[in-house]
Amino acid sequence: MCIGLFVVVKSRNAPLSFTLPQASTCNTGWYYYDETGTERYITSLPAVIPAKKSPITRIYHFYAGEYPQEICFYTHHQTAQFSLNGRVLYEYSITGNPSWLEDYRSFYHIVELPPVKNGEMCLSFTPVGKKYAGEYDCIYIGTHQEILVKLFLDRMDKLFLGVLLFIMSIICFFLSQMYKRNFSEDKTLLHLCYICFFFGLWIIEESKLLQFIIRNQGVHWCFEYLNQHFILLSAILVVRDIVVPSKEKVTEAFILISQCVSLVVIALQLTGIMQLYNSMYILQLFSVGFCVYIVYLVNAGNFFHTKQRQKLFNFFMLLSVIVFVVIIIGHFNRSYGSLVMDVGVIFMFTSFLFIANQKTMDKYKAIQQAMLYQKLAFVDFNTGVASKTAWFSLIEKFDQEKDVMINCCLLLFDMNNLKKLNDSKGHLFGDKVINTFCECLTQAFSEDGTVFRIGGDEFICFCRHSNEEEVSANLKKFEELEAVHKGTELEFSCAYGYVFFTPHSKDDFTEAQQRADSLMYEMKRRMKIGREFEY
């Protein structure tokens, strides 16, 4: 799908077919003239042509074509001129740059070739810096569509890797927003989003396919070189996420040095003293240094709870560090170092995912544990009903604007003769009787109310949006359940009082409880007068 979309966008003026023909390479048959004027053939491109007297180099190739084709070549910090039979068909120069900006990255150029029976192509490169003199990369010949397909297939590994990092950054961003409420202090996922985004942007720029969509060279300069500063900054943020308290001073010193180096590099660029393509290796080395330091912090702080996870993290992270160090010091050229770098990126972000997953799981467990403690605080252990803390929490969190409570009913229950029962048969037996009472009360008000234990033998049943008829029906059901235990060893008796009210403030709950308490004691007095129980 990506290949098709890319070709459709860039081949709007050419007819498309359902097949994917590729341009042919034109890497052999090229020749140049040395200092003595001797014609010398190039074995195969890519190659570096000697440029001793002048930085300008030229290579030649015989060409014969019966129908129009296009040729595609690549410049790396170079200007270019392409001619056929001495007639200049294409010129590329870096113009309109500020005086302090000399370095532009690599670009592909596509030039239309007219049909000729016998011709000679000449490709002339002039480097921006001496170190790039005489560099010639692969050259392709074919139709516009065939060239685009060939370039896409050659560079799609980096494009897919960059897109994958972009997708990871989006996922990390949305996860960070989802967990923001619970993980407000932990920015690991958000910082991982940053480093995935900037690294993905750099990898996509390295694919060299973005230039066919964005033609502005200044934008590509930002993606290629200025982006190195943002990658370094993202690495700093990740380090701060896993800082070990005992190493905090060392960490802050390392961060301060890296920030100073970044500012110095920018200053050298703006003054024209040093171009970023000569100094970006310093930034890359600092980024790699932060990766090594992350490994050190993780091991020093016992970040992972199992040895297996710690070993996997160390393996992936150190392997990626080795790969990046080897690439930075130049042991791999562009042609086959590309795949090695992709592997290093995959290993590095696998390590970062280990970190993010570990921190997220730790936070999740901490929240679950806190929720468990909160739940335990809100539940009475002996009976399983809500606790006194839960009742006071309900009152404390009441908000008239958010909590709509109309025709609430507060029922206050007090068990009779519980102290006498505990003294005669023991507290364990007394707990059984209390549990029996709670089961009956909960069963009777299961659909309309919540039961709270606010004292040893005192309970509140709170019903929202209820009426006299519903409460009376529930009380009748409770009395029927109470009667079932009459004459058994788990027999219980209680007095109760209830009031209806619509709360407008927290004080209304307290007032309702006091009124229900008075009615409950009035019932106790009537029961005492009736001599249903001994006191």
Side-chain angles (χ1 to χ4, degrees):
M1 185 181 71
C2 293
I3 298 176
L5 180 61
F6 179 76
V7 174
V8 167
V9 170
K10 301 312 300 178
S11 303
R12 291 186 294 268
N13 298 325
L16 293 176
S17 64
F18 292 99
T19 59
L20 291 175
Q22 300 181 43
S24 58
T25 57
C26 184
N27 294 329
T28 59
W30 292 90
Y31 60 93
Y32 68 97
Y33 295 95
D34 63 13
E35 298 175 355
T36 63
T38 304
E39 183 180 293
R40 295 189 178 277
Y41 277 87
I42 302 170
T43 305
S44 180
L45 297 178
V48 177
I49 308 304
K52 296 182 179 180
K53 291 184 178 181
S54 172
I56 302 175
T57 55
R58 296 179 178 85
I59 59 175
Y60 304 87
H61 195 287
F62 289 108
Y63 172 74
E66 297 180 357
Y67 54 90
Q69 294 190 98
E70 293 182 352
I71 185 170
C72 176
F73 56 88
Y74 171 84
T75 57
H76 186 227
H77 299 291
Q78 299 159 318
T79 62
Q81 183 183 82
F82 180 80
S83 59
L84 181 62
N85 286 336
R87 182 166 66 94
V88 176
L89 299 180
Y90 177 82
E91 283 187 295
Y92 164 71
S93 60
I94 302 173
T95 58
N97 298 337
S99 58
W100 52 266
L101 181 58
E102 295 179 0
D103 55 345
Y104 272 131
R105 55 146 304 131
S106 49
F107 285 92
Y108 278 111
H109 309 269
I110 300 178
V111 182
E112 187 175 348
L113 294 172
V116 294
K117 293 183 178 180
N118 189 13
E120 182 184 52
M121 298 184 295
C122 176
L123 188 57
S124 174
F125 283 176
T126 303
V128 174
K130 292 182 179 180
K131 62 183 293 187
Y132 304 107
E135 284 190 2
Y136 288 86
D137 212 289
C138 295
I139 296 176
Y140 308 103
I141 287 183
T143 65
H144 194 78
Q145 176 183 337
E146 291 171 348
I147 290 174
L148 292 176
V149 171
K150 179 64 176 175
L151 292 177
F152 186 95
L153 294 177
D154 285 350
R155 311 298 297 180
M156 68 177 181
D157 59 328
K158 287 199 178 301
L159 181 64
F160 285 166
L161 182 57
V163 170
L164 179 62
L165 291 176
F166 266 141
I167 294 173
M168 283 178 57
S169 71
I170 294 173
I171 293 174
C172 290
F173 175 77
F174 280 110
L175 287 176
S176 68
Q177 297 306 304
M178 287 174 56
Y179 297 145
K180 189 175 182 179
R181 183 175 180 181
N182 295 327
F183 300 167
S184 57
E185 297 180 358
D186 187 6
K187 306 291 186 181
T188 305
L189 284 171
L190 186 60
H191 296 161
L192 187 60
C193 162
Y194 296 155
I195 198 169
C196 285
F197 175 81
F198 291 120
F199 222 106
L201 185 61
W202 181 62
I203 292 293
I204 290 179
E205 180 63 25
E206 280 291 302
S207 73
K208 304 177 183 66
L209 297 176
L210 198 60
Q211 62 185 268
F212 292 103
I213 300 174
I214 302 174
R215 302 300 299 176
N216 188 289
Q217 294 179 337
V219 173
H220 293 285
W221 177 83
C222 292
F223 289 168
E224 174 68 11
Y225 299 116
L226 199 59
N227 199 24
Q228 303 287 330
H229 294 273
F230 293 108
I231 292 175
L232 179 60
L233 179 61
S234 301
I236 289 173
L237 294 176
V238 173
V239 167
R240 279 185 170 160
D241 286 332
I242 59 172
V243 64
V244 178
S246 61
K247 310 297 180 184
E248 190 171 355
K249 291 184 178 179
V250 178
T251 301
E252 290 302 322
F254 192 17
I255 290 173
L256 180 62
I257 292 172
S258 65
Q259 290 174 331
C260 291
V261 169
S262 181
L263 292 174
V264 168
V265 168
I266 293 176
L268 292 175
Q269 167 73 28
L270 295 177
T271 56
I273 297 175
M274 180 182 289
Q275 295 299 311
L276 273 182
Y277 68 81
N278 289 326
S279 59
M280 69 175 185
Y281 298 106
I282 300 174
L283 302 176
Q284 292 174 347
L285 284 172
F286 264 93
S287 298
V288 171
F290 272 110
C291 291
V292 176
Y293 191 62
I294 287 173
V295 175
Y296 171 71
L297 289 178
V298 167
N299 286 273
N302 294 320
F303 191 81
F304 293 102
H305 305 311
T306 63
K307 291 289 185 181
Q308 185 178 8
R309 290 182 182 177
Q310 187 168 338
K311 288 179 180 178
L312 282 173
F313 168 80
N314 290 337
F315 172 76
F316 285 127
M317 200 68 169
L318 291 176
L319 190 59
S320 63
V321 166
I322 293 172
V323 169
F324 287 130
V325 169
V326 169
I327 291 173
I328 291 172
I329 63 179
H331 280 191
F332 288 93
N333 62 31
R334 294 196 309 273
S335 60
Y336 58 88
S338 173
L339 180 60
V340 177
M341 187 178 74
D342 295 345
V343 173
V345 171
I346 293 172
F347 279 132
M348 184 182 73
F349 281 96
T350 301
S351 305
F352 284 160
L353 286 174
F354 268 113
I355 292 177
N357 178 70
Q358 183 66 54
K359 292 205 72 176
T360 303
M361 291 303 298
D362 288 346
K363 286 287 183 181
Y364 179 76
K365 289 178 180 178
I367 290 174
Q368 289 293 101
Q369 192 173 25
M371 291 176 63
L372 176 62
Y373 288 148
Q374 185 182 35
K375 183 177 179 181
L376 293 176
F378 284 9
V379 175
D380 180 68
F381 290 123
N382 292 331
T383 61
V385 299
S387 66
K388 185 177 182 180
T389 302
W391 171 245
F392 286 133
S393 177
L394 183 147
I395 299 174
E396 189 64 31
K397 292 181 178 180
F398 173 74
D399 189 337
Q400 182 181 358
E401 295 181 0
K402 297 180 180 179
D403 300 330
V404 180
M405 296 185 183
I406 303 174
N407 294 331
C408 297
C409 183
L410 188 152
L411 300 95
L412 184 65
F413 293 83
D414 188 88
M415 297 183 68
N416 297 321
N417 293 332
L418 186 62
K419 183 177 184 304
K420 183 178 179 180
L421 184 66
N422 286 333
D423 292 342
S424 62
K425 295 188 177 182
H427 285 276
L428 291 178
F429 184 81
D431 288 342
K432 290 182 180 181
V433 175
I434 293 173
N435 284 331
T436 302
F437 164 79
C438 286
E439 288 174 3
C440 295
L441 185 60
T442 303
Q443 187 175 349
F445 287 86
S446 60
E447 296 181 0
D448 302 316
T450 305
V451 178
F452 300 85
R453 185 179 186 181
I454 60 172
D457 57 357
E458 200 170 5
F459 296 82
I460 284 178
C461 181
F462 182 67
C463 305
R464 307 186 189 200
H465 311 293
S466 57
N467 53 49
E468 184 74 40
E469 184 180 350
E470 292 173 347
V471 172
S472 297
N474 290 332
L475 284 173
K476 183 178 180 180
K477 185 177 180 180
F478 170 72
E479 291 171 354
E480 291 174 353
L481 293 171
E482 179 185 2
V484 172
H485 294 88
K486 288 287 185 181
T488 68
E489 63 174 2
L490 297 177
E491 178 182 354
F492 63 87
S493 175
C494 68
Y496 59 83
Y498 64 91
V499 295
F500 288 91
F501 71 109
T502 297
H504 298 288
S505 68
K506 299 174 184 177
D507 294 336
D508 291 338
F509 288 89
T510 304
E511 182 183 351
Q513 185 175 345
Q514 290 173 350
R515 289 162 52 199
D517 188 67
S518 298
L519 293 173
M520 182 270 295
Y521 275 107
E522 179 64 27
M523 184 178 181
K524 270 187 179 291
R525 283 194 292 271
R526 292 198 305 268
M527 294 173 71
K528 186 175 182 180
I529 293 173
R531 297 183 180 276
E532 291 185 24
F533 287 90
E534 294 181 359
Y535 283 78

